[in-house]
């Protein structure tokens, strides 16, 4: 992380995001035995928040690349990310409040 970013703010944010990104790998590898809908929802919200913060940070640091891109930088990690997302979605039944709220938050990122 330290060699990729030249700002303490970017380093701090990226290290904070790394724990969520590692959790995604842990889910895919079965290291989270108590995975349930609430944990899955929290991970989805954390990923949305990471994306929101990246967009915000890119205003003042246009060269800043998403930690997710740097973290899932191999075929195996990218595949694990996709499998984990699918696993999480299997745990989450449709919940209007959660899904519409998450969709609204994602639309903000497209502005």
């Amino acid at each position: 992380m330290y060699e990729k970013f030249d700002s303490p703010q970017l380093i701090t944010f990226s290290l904070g995001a790394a724990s969520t990104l590692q959790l995604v790998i842990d889910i895919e590898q079965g290291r989270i035995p108590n995975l349930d809908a609430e944990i899955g929802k929290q991970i989805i919200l954390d990923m949305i928040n990471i994306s929101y913060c990246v967009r915000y940070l890119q205003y003042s640091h246009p060269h800043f690349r998403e930690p997710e891109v740097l973290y899932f930088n191999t075929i195996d990690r990218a595949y694990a990310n996709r499998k984990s997302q699918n696993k999480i979605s299997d745990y989450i039944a449709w919940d209007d409040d959660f899904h519409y709220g998450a969709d609204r938050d994602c639309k903000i990122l497209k502005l």
Side-chain angles (χ1 to χ4, degrees):
M1 288 290 173
Y2 295 106
E3 66 274 2
K4 297 284 183 188
F5 307 119
D6 57 0
S7 161
Q9 182 183 22
L10 300 180
I11 292 169
T12 301
F13 170 75
S14 297
L15 290 174
S19 62
T20 298
L21 301 176
Q22 180 58 49
L23 188 58
V24 170
I25 297 289
D26 291 344
I27 289 169
E28 188 275 327
Q29 294 179 349
R31 293 192 290 233
I32 309 294
N34 59 340
L35 182 64
D36 62 13
E38 291 308 310
I39 293 170
K41 287 178 182 179
Q42 188 57 54
I43 292 168
I44 289 170
L45 293 175
D46 288 348
M47 296 299 280
I48 290 170
N49 286 329
I50 288 169
S51 293
Y52 178 81
C53 290
V54 165
R55 296 281 182 136
Y56 177 78
L57 288 169
Q58 285 175 334
Y59 284 116
S60 54
H61 304 278
H63 65 284
F64 180 58
R65 292 185 60 206
E66 294 182 46
E68 185 175 1
V69 171
L70 298 172
Y71 198 83
F72 299 118
N73 61 350
T74 67
I75 295 291
D76 291 337
R77 282 188 173 201
Y79 184 62
N81 181 27
R82 176 62 65 200
K83 283 179 61 179
S84 180
Q85 289 178 28
N86 289 338
K87 192 178 226 181
I88 290 169
S89 72
D90 290 343
Y91 278 91
I92 301 175
W94 186 262
D95 173 341
D96 286 345
D97 290 335
F98 173 75
H99 286 88
Y100 290 137
D103 286 347
R104 184 190 65 247
D105 291 343
C106 285
K107 286 178 186 161
I108 290 171
L109 298 175
K110 296 178 183 175
L111 298 176

